[in-house]
Structure formats: structure tokens, C-alpha cells
């Protein structure tokens, strides 16, 4: 039997723009889940130096590149679930032939890669929303802030905030969306666990008066409320 050596060229995600696209493609294959508070604390301790953060970023980018290149889609039963629950340490050792990751990074599941990338960005001084267009950075009025504060207890924040963050990073980096439009109307077509947001009863609590121009400020306000709980 003849053997053939195959060289796989990995996609290099060298800029935030490429990473943004990479994670959008990743979510189509592996639905992303938030990091637990204890994971966040451990990762921030482990990635406190630029060298450690840069090394982790390389692994995340290579892993994302491979996962988005394979020919399968989310929802394929046990295969999809098994991949989502696999740890980054096991994946890197098996498919990237790299061992020796820090314990916190190695323990992150593949369904948490986007959250890990956010922590890496913090360590490297790159904010997760640095590329959001100026059209969507308007400040909230006191009335809108009060409306969000009133709505927050009725929202399923653990599920909603990661989806909201992905919308900011994927859809609002260029001025293609009307800033005067309803933010709720834009968000309601996002998919959560294969169901439109508009079909989740709790999403009705999101204030109708918030415009797309307030998107980043609205996210920041809700995230701050969630952290205060």
C-alpha cells in the first residue's frame, strides 16, 4: 500500500477582523457557551503576562481554523456534542501535537473558545468591541438606562449576553445597519439554541425604545448589571 504525506496548511488569524469572521464560522459548527466565573478568574491569573496570552492566542486561532474547515455542521447529534465538550488541551494534544498548556487554558471546552479569546484580548490590551463602528456607540439617555435596568431581571442574561456580544462583533463593525432602527428588531432574528430570540418569551422584556445606535452602551449596561448580581 502506498502512503501519502499530506501537509495541512492552517489558516492564520492575524487580525481581529479575521478572528471575528473565524468565530462567526465557528458558531455555525460549535455553539458557544460562556465561561464560568471560576474559569474566568483562573484564566486571568494564568494569562497575566503578554507571553502567556500570545501563546494561548496562537492555539485558539489554530483550533478555530481547523474546526471551521472540517466538513460537518452543528446539530449532528453525538458528534457535535462530543466536539463541543472536548477540552482545548485534549484537542491541541491530539490534532495540533502541542502539549504543555496551562491548566486553566487546557481545561476550556471547545464550546468556550470565544470566551477564552475575550480573556486573551483583555490580557493583550485589546478590547472585545474595539472594532464596533462609531455609529453604534451612542450613550444611553437616563430614560433608556432605566428601561434596561427594569428589563434586566426578566432577561435570561447568561444566554442572551454572549449572543448580544457576538452581534456587536459580527454585525456592527461597519455602518450597514440603520442606527435609527430598533435594536430589539435587529436582535430578535438572532438564533439561540436553534430558536429565534423573538420566539423566547423572556425576550419580550427587552425595551422597544432602544435604538441600534445605543447597541454598545446597552450591552455594557446589561453586562454591568449581570456582574453586580
Amino acid at each position: 500500500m502506498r502512503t501519502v504525506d499530506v501537509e495541512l496548511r492552517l489558516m492564520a488569524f492575524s487580525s481581529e477582523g479575521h478572528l471575528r469572521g473565524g468565530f462567526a464560522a465557528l458558531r455555525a459548527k460549535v455553539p458557544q457557551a460562556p465561561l464560568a466565573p471560576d474559569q474566568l478568574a483562573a484564566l486571568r491569573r494564568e494569562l497575566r503576562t503578554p507571553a502567556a496570552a500570545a501563546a494561548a492566542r496562537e492555539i485558539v486561532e489554530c483550533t478555530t481554523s481547523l474546526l471551521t474547515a472540517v466538513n460537518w455542521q452543528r446539530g449532528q447529534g453525538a458528534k457535535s456534542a462530543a466536539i463541543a465538550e472536548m477540552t482545548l488541551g485534549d484537542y491541541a494534544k491530539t490534532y495540533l501535537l502541542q502539549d504543555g498548556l496551562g491548566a486553566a487554558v487546557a481545561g476550556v471546552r471547545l464550546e468556550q473558545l470565544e470566551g477564552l479569546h475575550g480573556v486573551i484580548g483583555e490580557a493583550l490590551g485589546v478590547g472585545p468591541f474595539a472594532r464596533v463602528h462609531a455609529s453604534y456607540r451612542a450613550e444611553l439617555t437616563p430614560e433608556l438606562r432605566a428601561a434596561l435596568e427594569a428589563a434586566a431581571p426578566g432577561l435570561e442574561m447568561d444566554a442572551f449576553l454572549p449572543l448580544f456580544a457576538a452581534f456587536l462583533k459580527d454585525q456592527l463593525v461597519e455602518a450597514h445597519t440603520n442606527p435609527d432602527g430598533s435594536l430589539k428588531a435587529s436582535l430578535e432574528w438572532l438564533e439561540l439554541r436553534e430558536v429565534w430570540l423573538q420566539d423566547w418569551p423572556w425576550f419580550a422584556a427587552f425595551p422597544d425604545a432602544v435604538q441600534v445606535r445605543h447597541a454598545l452602551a446597552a450591552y455594557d449596561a446589561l453586562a454591568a448589571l449581570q456582574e453586580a448580581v
Side-chain angles (χ1 to χ4, degrees):
M1 179 181 294
R2 176 181 297 179
T3 61
V4 178
D5 292 329
V6 177
E7 180 180 352
L8 176 63
R9 187 182 181 121
L10 297 181
M11 183 187 305
F13 291 177
S14 59
S15 70
E16 186 176 344
H18 285 103
L19 278 170
R20 176 174 54 83
F23 283 118
L26 176 65
R27 286 193 297 275
K29 300 286 183 76
V30 184
Q32 294 295 286
L35 293 161
D38 59 335
Q39 285 181 292
L40 280 170
L43 286 167
R44 285 167 177 154
R45 287 193 300 270
E46 191 168 282
L47 300 174
R48 62 184 181 276
T49 67
R57 181 176 63 180
E58 181 177 356
I59 296 295
V60 170
E61 292 173 357
C62 289
T63 299
T64 301
S65 179
L66 277 175
L67 286 173
T68 55
V70 295
N71 186 25
W72 62 276
Q73 294 292 328
R74 70 179 183 176
Q76 290 185 351
K79 180 177 181 179
S80 180
I83 291 174
E85 294 172 5
M86 189 176 191
T87 66
L88 181 57
D90 287 343
Y91 190 92
K93 186 174 182 179
T94 303
Y95 297 104
L96 302 180
L97 304 181
Q98 296 202 37
D99 202 354
L101 297 180
V105 171
V108 170
R109 300 188 304 277
L110 298 185
E111 65 180 356
Q112 299 173 312
L113 280 181
E114 190 169 9
L116 172 57
H117 181 257
V119 178
I120 292 169
E122 291 178 12
L124 294 174
V126 180
F129 306 117
R131 289 174 52 86
V132 172
H133 196 275
S135 299
Y136 313 117
R137 293 175 173 269
E139 294 294 326
L140 294 168
T141 65
E143 293 78 13
L144 291 177
R145 185 174 296 277
L148 286 166
E149 290 174 353
L155 297 173
E156 192 176 312
M157 299 281 263
D158 287 342
F160 176 52
L161 285 179
L163 201 63
F164 195 171
F167 171 76
L168 288 165
K169 291 182 283 186
D170 293 346
Q171 305 296 327
L172 299 186
V173 296
E174 296 181 359
H176 295 323
T177 303
N178 181 5
D180 296 326
S182 165
L183 180 59
K184 185 175 185 177
S186 293
L187 293 172
E188 67 184 9
W189 294 106
L190 299 181
E191 191 177 352
L192 173 64
R193 297 191 286 271
E194 302 186 12
V195 176
W196 303 121
L197 269 186
Q198 64 177 341
D199 294 328
W200 288 94
W202 53 263
F203 183 66
F206 192 89
D208 294 311
V210 181
Q211 294 178 306
V212 180
R213 68 175 65 253
H214 305 115
L216 183 57
Y219 174 86
D220 285 342
L222 291 174
L225 291 169
Q226 178 71 351
E227 289 180 5
V229 173

